[in-house]
Amino acid sequence: CNSSLRMEPVPGLPLLPGEERVIDKEIIYMCPFSGALKGKVFITNYRLFFKSTDMNKSVLDVPLGVISRIEKVGGATSRGENSYGLDITCKDMRNLRFALKQEGHSRRDMFDILFRYAFPLSSNQSLFAFLNQEKFEENGWDIYDPVQEFSRQGLPNEKWRITANELCETYPSKLVVPCKATDEDLRKVAAFRSRSRIPVLSWIHPENQAVIVRCSQPLVGMSGKRSKDDERYLEIIREANGTSRLTIFDARPNVNAVANKATGGGYEGEDSYQNADLVFLDIHNIHVMRESLRKLKDIVYPNVEESHWLSSLESTHWLEHIKLVLAGAIQVADKVWSGNSVLVHCSDGWDRTAQLTSLAMLMLDGYYRTLRGFLVLVEKEWLSFGHKFASRIGHGDKNHADADRSPIFVQFIDCVWQMTKQFPTAFEFNERLLMVILDHLYSCRFGTFLFNCDSEVKTKTVSLWSFINSDQASYINPFYAVENGCVLYPVASMRHLELWVTYYIRWNPRVRHQHPNPMEQRYSELLALKAQYLKKLEELQLSDTAVHLSNSSAPPTHLTNSSASPTQLVTHLRTSM
Amino acid sequence: MLSTLGGGGGKPAKPSFVSYVTPEEINQTEKECSRKEKHPDLLPGEVIFCSAGPVLKSIKDDLFQRVVYGTLLCTNFRVSFISDEAPSDEEAAQLFKNKLYGENDIPLTCVDHIYGGFDDKKKLIISGFVKNKYPSKIIVCCKDLRLFHFSLAYAKEEDAKKIFQGIVYHCLEPKSLKCVFAFSYGEKTLLNKENQTKPKTVMFDTSEDWAQEIKRTKGNCKLISNNADFSISAKLPQFFIVPTHVTQEDLTKFDGKGIPIWCWSHHSGCALFKTASLPLMQEDASSQLYKSYMEGMLNAVAQTHLYSVKTEELSDSLPTVQDIQQSYSKFKQFFLLDNTNDFWMTDVKWFSSLEGSCWLDIIRQCLAKAVEVVECLEKENTNVLIMEEEGSDLCCVISSLVQLMFDPYYRTLGGFQSLIQKEWVMGGHRFLDRCNHLHLKDKEQSQAPVFLLFLESVWQLQQQYPPAFQFSETYLTVLSDSIDVSVFSTFLFNSPHHMASIAKAMLEPGQRSPVNWPTVWDWSVQFDSRAQDFFINPLYMERSRQDKAPRKMPRPKHQRHQSLPSSAFKFSPSAKKGFLKDETDSLKKMLRVKRLSRWMNSPDSAQASTREFFVAWQRRPLDYHGLLLPCLEGPTLRLWSQRYLRWIPEAQIFGGGSITILKKLADLLAEVQDLRGNLDRQACRADFNHQGVVARAKSSIQLSSAFPFTMPRSRSFKPAIPIGPLHSLITDSLADQEDEENLGIV
């Protein structure tokens, strides 16, 4: 790189420790809302930064990690103004279009550089997270300690033990399994579960001891194989709190579960598991979800579908999928709350299963609704249990059409957002936290969402939670009211589900987002007033007693002074009286 | 309680026509309680027509369906069910109690439809006379979207027949205005003068009110006060304001039609007018008369400010009242659900059903039209004359919306009520016909929820800019309910003349005093002061004193002259011949330029210009006390869920809803106000009579998203679990694919 570039700082261009400028270019940004904007683009090893020459117009600050695809548009023969340039498809619901001069090699240069830095894995380079030198006070990697978290839940206890994971490479290092099951039993069960993802405890109800157990599908296959060990293992789980019937929630639609038999998978048969009830939750697979979000993007970007907004929204099925995921989690939570242990799986137990268990736990356990608790929940149910972030997001990989990509985690965060909308005082964190998590799901600035399962990444990268915890105040919901031991059931009906406009349509300036939130603003104003009045009252009372002590008959001089102040205060009270 | 059956869990609830009580249980209960005749607390002037018992009412309590025994009555005011169960004396239930009618009362004018249940079939009832069998069930759909199921199967046959006929007769058959309960009620009650002033509502029934209003907006028009006896026109109010150049002779020409009635003046000097249009397009002898008259009127309007005027015939671009009625009839059906099954079955296609009704789209069109008018006044400083056939339907909607967007005064509680008085009540909106409270067959065509459409549009504005409104969502919901409570003079008449003539007729038989009809603004008739606290929006920020100084908009003067109207007179070009002939040459020139620009503008560019206007406005910092423009993009127009979902148990979020935040804010606001009161007392050493404005519900009250209209009786731990087909989800090749290419078989 050109070292002189690094020397002159550009006003407004932020640089992270470890971030280096690579190239600058005069360019035209084809903003879909304000039209063509002349300016300069700065590319670093972390971001694409565009500054318009017109100071009042927008700037772009896009981490290269969000780029999923770069295309050249317009050829040497193309006509029309600004038709020659680059089109960049982003993972965060937008496209960026730049127009360049045809002369020289400016487009080729920019394309090559963008390609190299946006898809480092495709050229054996490392992701920015490994170059990031940011330092934070708290090490976010320490936020989740499985032993500590299980002890918060009262584990181990006489029924459940914590064991080291030696069976499954996509599972966390510590597992909670029934005391009655020996390590040998576990090995046998592992042989009957897809990818050895055996049923392990995820959450236990503090009073009724009902548990949420998660796993992958049983390897039943076409021949309808059985495993006595698996059957006995599930019996042990059922007996642990005396549940008469164990409910098995299979997240998939019934037909898909049946179809899985062809590839060696399947579901727990009635005959084999006599004390279990099997419920299919009808949640579709990663491909359907990917397609659904793609359709959603089509109707919100760049312009919001006008004439038939509602039916277009319906035809994307995005909210319907959200409804099904939430409805599934509600059923899980309802069973557990009423004292029945449940087992949750899908095919591999790292996509739909993670959605269901984590959402059910959000409903059941107020701890996960705190800022810290939520981060623990994500670490626990998503990262430690091996949601395949690398494959689902496709970090630094040029294969934008990879069938492994799917917005499963986005869908989960959307479900959480729906819950915070329905229960605006039940969550300690605010919408901003969810937005920041999703932004850094793609950014590759932190190590948190980079890999498919727990790995050595922790020692070499910064955790997103370090960043978040360095500024906790901006993620706190001021309306949060602690309500312990309270189960929250959102209403999984289209009447209440709404599109998360502030996330999905945030690039459109015509859809107004009020910042700061008027409710929060009003609340903090009132809190400030309250503090002010309390202080004033205290002062008055103090001086009052002083006067009474000195001379009770003399006209109280302090009154003339202090009587002015409440009226002054009144002017500050911007309130309906 | 007799039995608890039905719905929760994952199982579909039984349709509500199945009896939930076995005959054994009935007999047992009959033996247990010797039935006593029960009466409700009757209102002044209320009389019971008929009653029957035992009647079963089936209710959905927190998702569980059950039945309650009681007596069903029909009075001259309401259909009332008196439960044998002890009334709940919980604080929660008392908190937002309506003093006129309770949760088991249906004001007669609030009844929308009645269905009869025959075995398991349900039939729409249109008359009290039944050929063969009387229905064993009555299902009453209310205009406030409550739904009642009564079973008459256990009442004596004679009683059942009588109550059925009585209810049907009094709710559905045509009647005369004097039979409306307001007349009996008014005779027996004293007008409460004191309460009317809280909050201060300008009634616009005196010339002073109008004079004050034109002074407030610094308008440049003249007050007409010689219609006090309705000699100019029965369609116009006793007092009204017209452009200065309208002559006395002009006023008496066409029975009030075509007179530009002043609505509001913009700070630049231009003003908004409305009128009932003359039939200009007709090709007969009178049309030439109309045209030249209209030209004169336009001339007069134009002279109000800068010789400019834009006219808008609302019926050209907005839905008709019949469209509005049709759309709403479709729309409201979505909220009158018989059972849990219906709820989930309709959930799948919810968004397309909503769209299919067009109701949200009609709201959007009204808001968009109002923005267009705002643009003319604000950006082009053009006078605007809106017109339609009667000048009292969409004209009222648009003119009130424009004023709400411009004028922060109308966003206060008192201001809003005054606006409705000015534009709707005095503006001669035909409330009686539009509501068709009298069920007159010949008025069925004119029935349309035009006023509700206005309230809906206000709700959209309010939910986009909550801190800008002093009144709450609950206030709007209650106001929309009050339309169908036949007690208030506000919604009872077709015009001020109509009301005056009825009042006069009532006086003639030598009565002591005029009838006292309360106006709806006397909220103490319906709610005690504690319940009225729910009308205040805790997010509302009054403009602070510093801001209150009149602000001059920095507006370069030349801009006014440059800006030209985007369109002007829409009617036939011939109508413009000789326009402004008395004016000077320079004016003519100016006008020609404007006309030219109009012809160059296509409708598309008008829309683009409105969008540009919105974007330009949006770029400026948001001032809750300044001009407010609604965002009209699809996702920003929403369903008024408090009004429409409040009675549906499946749609209730227990422990949630935006009310939980508002409640917190309201509590804090109350605390701050208490502290201030304390401070004042301390400082002044005088008894300061502090009045709280905020609802102080005890925190023990379980909130739900339907608060304060319904409150969960008990903490429900059973969630509503969606049931039903998932047909709508595609099962294409994607759905059949595996999540992973290779399955990890060990």
Side-chain angles (χ1 to χ4, degrees):
Chain A
C1 302
N2 191 340
S3 59
S4 68
L5 273 176
R6 262 167 267 155
M7 301 307 290
E8 33 170 327
V10 178
L13 170 63
L15 281 182
L16 297 171
E19 183 176 359
E20 286 176 1
R21 284 169 61 191
V22 179
I23 194 175
D24 303 349
K25 262 212 174 357
E26 299 292 334
I27 210 165
I28 296 168
Y29 167 48
M30 309 294 291
C31 176
F33 311 107
S34 339
L37 296 176
K38 268 194 187 150
K40 201 168 184 185
V41 68
F42 305 87
I43 295 172
T44 73
N45 54 353
Y46 170 65
R47 79 184 86 211
L48 180 159
F49 187 86
F50 170 82
K51 220 171 124 189
S52 160
T53 30
D54 181 352
M55 297 306 265
N56 298 320
K57 294 286 172 62
S58 63
V59 289
L60 280 177
D61 186 357
V62 186
L64 298 177
V66 308
I67 295 176
S68 81
R69 183 182 194 182
I70 310 165
E71 285 169 290
K72 292 174 184 160
V73 288
T77 56
S78 60
R79 282 150 200 272
E81 215 185 342
N82 301 329
S83 60
Y84 184 83
L86 293 174
D87 191 68
I88 300 172
T89 308
C90 298
K91 297 168 181 173
D92 61 355
M93 308 288 285
R94 60 177 158 167
N95 279 36
L96 305 171
R97 182 78 170 261
F98 293 101
L100 288 126
K101 288 197 202 81
Q102 295 203 20
E103 303 81 47
H105 295 293
S106 67
R107 183 172 76 171
R108 197 191 62 195
D109 291 351
M110 186 163 157
F111 179 84
D112 289 347
I113 284 173
L114 268 181
F115 201 86
R116 177 148 33 109
Y117 287 93
F119 310 127
L121 298 190
S122 298
S123 53
N124 286 320
Q125 306 277 315
S126 51
L127 294 163
F128 178 73
F130 293 96
L131 307 169
N132 187 1
Q133 302 293 316
E134 283 177 276
K135 299 270 180 290
F136 295 98
E137 249 175 54
E138 190 186 343
N139 183 359
W141 292 119
D142 298 336
I143 203 163
Y144 173 59
D145 173 1
V147 175
Q148 205 184 318
E149 163 59 16
F150 284 124
S151 96
R152 185 190 68 86
Q153 295 186 26
L155 298 168
N157 60 20
E158 67 275 25
K159 301 280 187 189
W160 297 90
R161 66 187 173 102
I162 299 180
T163 178
N165 169 21
E166 286 159 359
L167 294 163
C168 171
E169 51 186 27
T170 56
Y171 260 8
S173 56
K174 296 275 189 292
L175 300 175
V176 179
V177 294
C179 294
K180 275 191 176 175
T182 66
D183 287 354
E184 182 54 27
D185 292 337
L186 298 179
R187 230 181 312 281
K188 286 176 183 160
V189 171
F192 191 64
R193 290 276 163 183
S194 170
R195 297 175 205 269
S196 305
R197 293 173 67 93
I198 59 167
V200 294
L201 180 146
S202 235
W203 191 77
I204 184 162
H205 191 285
E207 275 128 45
N208 65 34
Q209 301 286 299
V211 295
I212 300 177
V213 166
R214 59 179 288 177
C215 60
S216 61
Q217 64 181 337
L219 297 174
V220 175
M222 293 298 272
S223 55
K225 265 186 295 188
R226 292 178 61 165
S227 160
K228 282 283 166 218
D229 302 296
D230 193 71
E231 288 162 25
R232 206 180 67 240
Y233 185 68
L234 262 54
E235 273 297 290
I236 295 172
I237 292 171
R238 182 184 66 77
E239 285 162 0
N241 83 326
T243 297
S244 61
R245 307 282 297 169
L246 179 73
T247 309
I248 300 172
F249 287 104
D250 189 328
R252 302 166 291 184
N254 191 347
V255 279
N256 294 46
V258 174
N260 259 289
K261 286 185 176 180
T263 48
Y267 54 91
E268 293 81 358
E270 259 178 59
D271 302 337
S272 328
Y273 301 85
Q274 293 195 346
N275 290 320
D277 298 313
L278 184 63
V279 178
F280 292 102
L281 295 176
D282 296 313
I283 302 167
H284 279 276
N285 66 26
I286 62 166
H287 311 293
V288 174
M289 302 310 180
R290 181 180 59 237
E291 209 36 38
S292 173
L293 189 63
R294 190 192 60 71
K295 283 187 192 149
L296 181 64
K297 183 177 171 180
D298 284 349
I299 65 161
V300 299
Y301 191 88
N303 293 310
V304 179
E305 167 73 37
E306 256 179 50
S307 47
H308 297 286
W309 164 251
L310 288 173
S311 53
S312 306
L313 179 62
E314 186 173 277
S315 67
T316 70
H317 297 289
W318 181 252
L319 286 178
E320 200 173 342
H321 294 307
I322 297 276
K323 167 181 162 171
L324 283 171
V325 173
L326 279 173
I330 290 168
Q331 290 177 71
V332 172
D334 179 38
K335 276 282 172 227
V336 174
W337 190 258
S338 45
N340 299 296
S341 291
V342 302
L343 181 128
V344 184
H345 71 70
C346 45
S347 295
D348 292 295
W350 52 42
D351 292 314
R352 290 167 271 199
T353 302
Q355 290 179 330
L356 290 169
T357 55
S358 50
L359 287 171
M361 285 152 72
L362 264 183
M363 294 170 197
L364 289 163
D365 191 338
Y367 170 68
Y368 298 121
R369 302 194 286 261
T370 65
L371 176 58
R372 203 176 182 83
F374 184 69
L375 306 184
V376 166
L377 182 73
V378 171
E379 278 279 341
K380 175 171 158 347
E381 289 303 298
W382 290 85
L383 297 159
S384 85
F385 273 97
H387 173 69
K388 305 207 304 176
F389 282 101
S391 314
R392 295 289 176 257
I393 308 302
H395 294 298
D397 179 5
K398 65 178 179 183
N399 298 317
H400 59 87
D402 190 337
D404 264 354
R405 293 194 186 178
S406 185
I408 300 302
F409 187 72
V410 176
Q411 194 174 47
F412 160 70
I413 295 290
D414 193 332
C415 290
V416 176
W417 179 82
Q418 303 284 352
M419 284 186 68
T420 61
K421 271 307 255 197
Q422 294 196 13
F423 300 97
T425 60
F427 292 82
E428 191 193 21
F429 54 87
N430 57 17
E431 183 180 35
R432 206 168 300 130
L433 177 80
L434 302 178
M435 304 265 282
V436 166
I437 287 177
L438 287 187
D439 281 343
H440 292 296
L441 173 65
Y442 305 121
S443 76
C444 296
R445 175 171 159 190
F446 303 105
T448 303
F449 299 121
L450 288 189
F451 288 90
N452 283 344
C453 50
D454 272 356
S455 68
E456 80 288 357
V457 70
K458 290 187 179 180
T459 56
K460 295 185 182 163
T461 61
V462 180
S463 162
L464 170 59
W465 316 140
S466 310
F467 171 73
I468 284 172
N469 284 330
S470 71
D471 183 22
Q472 290 194 8
S474 51
Y475 304 107
I476 295 294
N477 168 18
F479 299 104
Y480 176 57
V482 194
E483 255 194 275
N484 285 323
C486 173
V487 62
L488 293 187
Y489 293 125
V491 175
S493 155
M494 291 308 191
R495 274 97 163 163
H496 282 300
L497 298 180
E498 48 182 302
L499 186 71
W500 187 6
V501 170
T502 38
Y503 178 70
Y504 299 111
I505 319 187
R506 62 176 154 161
W507 311 119
N508 188 334
R510 285 199 283 272
V511 179
R512 190 189 259 275
H513 311 298
Q514 289 174 39
H515 288 295
N517 175 326
M519 303 236 196
E520 290 185 17
Q521 201 183 3
R522 175 75 167 148
Y523 195 69
S524 51
E525 270 176 25
L526 286 174
L527 279 179
L529 263 181
K530 182 181 159 184
Q532 197 185 341
Y533 287 170
L534 278 173
K535 197 169 153 232
K536 203 83 216 167
L537 263 175
E538 205 172 296
E539 283 171 16
L540 275 175
Q541 273 155 0
L542 274 178
S543 55
D544 218 23
T545 32
V547 170
H548 275 289
L549 284 175
S550 61
N551 186 358
S552 51
S553 60
T557 47
H558 72 280
L559 276 182
T560 45
N561 299 329
S562 57
S563 61
S565 35
T567 20
Q568 279 166 359
L569 288 172
V570 171
T571 59
H572 295 290
L573 182 68
R574 305 168 75 192
T575 291
S576 52
M577 297 299 288
Chain B
M1 191 189 307
L2 290 168
S3 67
T4 306
L5 288 138
K11 282 163 226 140
K14 292 175 193 171
S16 54
F17 278 94
V18 180
S19 172
Y20 297 106
V21 188
T22 60
E24 289 79 359
E25 282 175 298
I26 301 296
N27 292 334
Q28 205 182 352
T29 340
E30 273 182 350
K31 267 174 245 159
E32 273 171 18
C33 57
S34 54
R35 308 198 54 79
K36 273 179 276 169
E37 273 296 297
K38 294 201 175 178
H39 289 290
D41 298 328
L42 294 177
L43 294 171
E46 188 177 10
V47 284
I48 297 174
F49 289 142
C50 49
S51 71
V55 169
L56 279 93
K57 178 185 173 231
S58 64
I59 50 176
K60 280 195 279 185
D61 236 4
D62 304 348
L63 299 179
F64 291 102
Q65 210 140 11
R66 65 186 185 98
V67 289
V68 186
Y69 270 94
T71 311
L72 193 60
L73 300 112
C74 182
T75 77
N76 56 346
F77 171 57
R78 61 185 149 169
V79 173
S80 181
F81 175 80
I82 302 164
S83 167
D84 287 350
E85 285 181 16
S88 79
D89 50 356
E90 287 168 59
E91 193 201 359
Q94 299 299 314
L95 200 61
F96 200 61
K97 205 180 133 182
N98 192 313
K99 294 198 265 183
L100 294 180
Y101 63 100
E103 58 168 345
N104 283 323
D105 298 323
I106 313 159
L108 299 180
T109 41
C110 184
V111 172
D112 196 14
H113 290 295
I114 296 175
Y115 291 92
F118 300 88
D119 301 324
D120 54 355
K121 279 200 284 287
K122 121 176 176 181
K123 259 168 54 184
L124 183 66
I125 302 292
I126 42 169
S127 144
F129 297 98
V130 180
K131 268 185 206 147
N132 307 316
K133 212 173 117 191
Y134 278 85
S136 57
K137 304 215 168 192
I138 309 182
I139 298 129
V140 185
C141 301
C142 302
K143 289 179 178 163
D144 60 9
L145 302 151
R146 288 180 298 165
L147 191 62
F148 290 87
H149 290 251
F150 299 114
S151 167
L152 307 176
Y154 307 107
K156 272 190 223 123
E157 205 185 315
E158 195 55 26
D159 287 354
K161 194 175 139 186
K162 235 195 273 170
I163 194 81
F164 172 78
Q165 281 182 334
I167 288 174
V168 171
Y169 178 81
H170 293 291
C171 293
L172 301 182
E173 296 286 328
K175 58 179 152 191
S176 80
L177 183 58
K178 302 234 170 87
C179 296
V180 171
F181 180 64
F183 289 82
S184 334
Y185 182 76
E187 277 175 16
K188 303 281 184 207
T189 45
L190 291 172
L191 203 56
N192 190 350
K193 285 270 184 217
E194 279 158 37
N195 268 296
Q196 275 186 321
T197 57
K198 186 200 144 195
K200 177 77 183 144
T201 304
V202 184
M203 301 303 281
F204 289 97
D205 53 359
T206 64
S207 62
E208 288 76 37
D209 287 350
W210 288 95
Q212 180 57 39
E213 178 72 356
I214 193 134
K215 204 173 133 202
R216 190 183 69 82
T217 61
K218 301 189 180 65
N220 170 34
C221 293
K222 72 173 171 192
L223 174 64
I224 303 296
S225 46
N226 55 351
N227 195 34
D229 53 356
F230 300 100
S231 58
I232 294 176
S233 167
K235 295 198 171 96
L236 295 172
Q238 287 167 295
F239 308 97
F240 57 93
I241 294 170
V242 296
T244 325
H245 288 252
V246 172
T247 64
Q248 192 59 40
E249 192 193 342
D250 291 335
L251 291 174
T252 48
K253 274 260 171 75
F254 299 109
D255 190 25
K257 277 186 185 266
I259 302 175
I261 305 292
W262 174 85
C263 301
W264 185 79
S265 283
H266 186 254
H267 61 77
S268 69
C270 63
L272 174 65
F273 300 88
K274 63 181 174 185
T275 189
S277 39
L278 288 162
L280 292 170
M281 298 314 264
Q282 274 171 23
E283 284 304 324
D284 58 19
S286 52
S287 81
Q288 210 46 49
L289 267 177
Y290 292 154
K291 277 173 192 164
S292 63
Y293 177 74
M294 216 49 219
E295 272 169 37
M297 289 302 106
L298 284 175
N299 189 359
V301 169
Q303 291 188 57
T304 304
H305 179 71
L306 285 177
Y307 305 101
S308 62
V309 60
K310 187 195 162 184
T311 63
E312 180 74 43
E313 172 62 53
L314 295 177
S315 56
D316 287 351
S317 51
L318 290 177
T320 63
V321 286
Q322 286 81 17
D323 292 339
I324 294 168
Q325 168 68 3
Q326 205 180 3
S327 164
Y328 185 70
S329 304
K330 227 174 183 181
F331 177 74
K332 72 182 173 200
Q333 290 307 323
F334 304 147
F335 310 99
L336 296 165
L337 299 163
D338 272 340
N339 53 47
T340 302
N341 221 23
D342 280 4
F343 179 86
W344 292 113
M345 289 304 151
T346 50
D347 203 50
V348 186
K349 288 276 168 200
W350 178 246
F351 290 125
S352 43
S353 311
L354 272 188
E355 189 178 287
S357 76
C358 295
W359 183 243
L360 287 176
D361 197 52
I362 291 177
I363 295 167
R364 183 205 320 275
Q365 289 180 47
C366 289
L367 286 167
K369 182 59 69 186
V371 173
E372 259 179 62
V373 174
V374 167
E375 185 189 358
C376 291
L377 294 163
E378 171 77 8
K379 199 170 120 193
E380 298 164 1
N381 297 151
T382 318
N383 297 301
V384 178
L385 175 65
I386 50 175
M387 35 201 207
E388 66 178 327
E389 198 189 333
E390 293 177 47
S392 59
D393 289 303
L394 289 165
C395 274
C396 299
V397 176
I398 302 302
S399 73
S400 336
L401 285 176
V402 167
Q403 293 174 63
L404 264 176
M405 290 177 195
F406 268 122
D407 197 333
Y409 164 66
Y410 293 127
R411 303 196 285 254
T412 64
L413 190 52
F416 184 66
Q417 297 183 165
S418 305
L419 179 68
I420 294 171
Q421 277 299 126
K422 179 171 84 160
E423 291 301 322
W424 294 83
V425 181
M426 291 304 150
H429 177 66
R430 286 161 52 197
F431 278 109
L432 185 66
D433 289 353
R434 292 291 174 236
C435 303
N436 197 15
H437 283 322
L438 305 182
H439 295 279
L440 303 177
K441 294 284 178 267
D442 59 330
K443 296 289 186 196
E444 266 168 19
Q445 282 303 309
S446 54
Q447 190 175 345
V450 181
F451 185 63
L452 178 65
L453 174 63
F454 165 65
L455 295 182
E456 285 256 15
S457 310
V458 177
W459 182 86
Q460 300 289 347
L461 266 174
Q462 191 200 41
Q463 61 104 18
Q464 287 188 20
Y465 306 105
F469 293 84
Q470 192 188 24
F471 49 88
S472 65
E473 177 186 28
T474 303
Y475 169 82
L476 287 177
T477 305
V478 166
L479 182 55
S480 74
D481 289 344
S482 304
I483 303 169
D484 303 308
V485 182
S486 51
V487 167
F488 310 110
S489 60
T490 319
F491 306 121
L492 211 53
F493 303 102
N494 281 329
S495 65
H497 171 257
H498 185 213
M499 174 166 167
S501 57
I502 298 285
K504 203 173 153 206
M506 301 280 295
L507 260 181
E508 270 160 15
Q511 268 188 3
R512 295 141 291 158
S513 60
V515 186
N516 294 319
W517 297 298
T519 79
V520 72
W521 316 129
D522 184 359
W523 290 108
S524 66
V525 173
Q526 291 191 80
F527 297 99
D528 63 24
S529 65
R530 209 167 60 128
Q532 285 180 52
D533 288 347
F534 286 103
F535 294 169
I536 299 294
N537 170 18
L539 281 170
Y540 177 66
M541 282 184 262
E542 208 167 76
R543 189 185 284 183
S544 67
R545 240 169 241 187
Q546 302 94 291
D547 296 351
K548 266 183 182 161
R551 266 179 302 180
K552 284 264 155 56
M553 292 283 162
R555 182 183 296 276
K557 221 177 178 178
H558 66 270
Q559 197 193 326
R560 291 186 194 174
H561 299 283
Q562 276 180 350
S563 63
L564 301 169
S566 57
S567 70
F569 322 118
K570 269 198 172 172
F571 41 88
S572 64
S574 64
K576 268 175 251 99
K577 232 178 247 169
F579 179 67
L580 282 192
K581 48 190 160 220
D582 298 332
E583 296 305 326
T584 60
D585 280 357
S586 65
L587 271 172
K588 276 186 192 169
K589 246 182 239 162
M590 207 166 127
L591 216 90
R592 221 167 283 140
V593 178
K594 288 181 180 179
R595 277 190 213 159
L596 200 66
S597 73
R598 165 174 46 94
W599 293 118
M600 291 191 307
N601 272 324
S602 68
D604 277 352
S605 72
Q607 208 176 29
S609 132
T610 303
R611 169 164 284 188
E612 211 173 277
F613 174 63
F614 177 76
V615 170
W617 170 80
Q618 203 188 26
R619 278 206 202 99
R620 297 204 295 268
L622 179 58
D623 174 11
Y624 289 118
H625 297 287
L627 174 65
L628 289 185
L629 295 181
C631 177
L632 299 171
E633 301 273 343
T636 53
L637 287 189
R638 294 163 57 184
L639 173 76
W640 185 356
S641 48
Q642 187 191 53
R643 174 172 159 83
Y644 293 105
L645 300 179
R646 60 191 152 148
W647 315 116
I648 305 174
E650 291 84 359
Q652 252 152 76
I653 307 167
F654 295 106
S658 58
I659 189 72
T660 50
I661 283 192
L662 291 175
K663 170 88 179 10
K664 253 195 130 169
L665 271 168
D667 287 348
L668 181 60
L669 182 57
E671 216 179 313
V672 166
Q673 285 170 348
D674 277 348
L675 278 172
R676 208 196 80 177
N678 244 328
L679 257 177
D680 289 355
R681 268 196 300 278
Q682 290 264 338
C684 312
R685 294 191 166 248
D687 265 346
F688 176 76
N689 199 359
H690 171 70
Q691 288 188 328
V693 291
V694 188
R696 262 160 270 190
K698 275 194 190 139
S699 54
S700 64
I701 287 173
Q702 188 63 53
L703 295 178
S704 91
S705 55
F707 184 86
F709 293 95
T710 51
M711 274 149 268
R713 302 246 151 95
S714 58
R715 174 91 213 185
S716 167
F717 287 113
K718 271 290 165 199
I721 295 169
I723 48 166
L726 305 155
H727 301 310
S728 85
L729 277 178
I730 21 71
T731 43
D732 59 10
S733 56
L734 281 181
D736 303 335
Q737 275 179 38
E738 284 311 309
D739 273 359
E740 309 297 331
E741 293 302 313
N742 57 326
L743 199 65
I745 298 171
V746 190

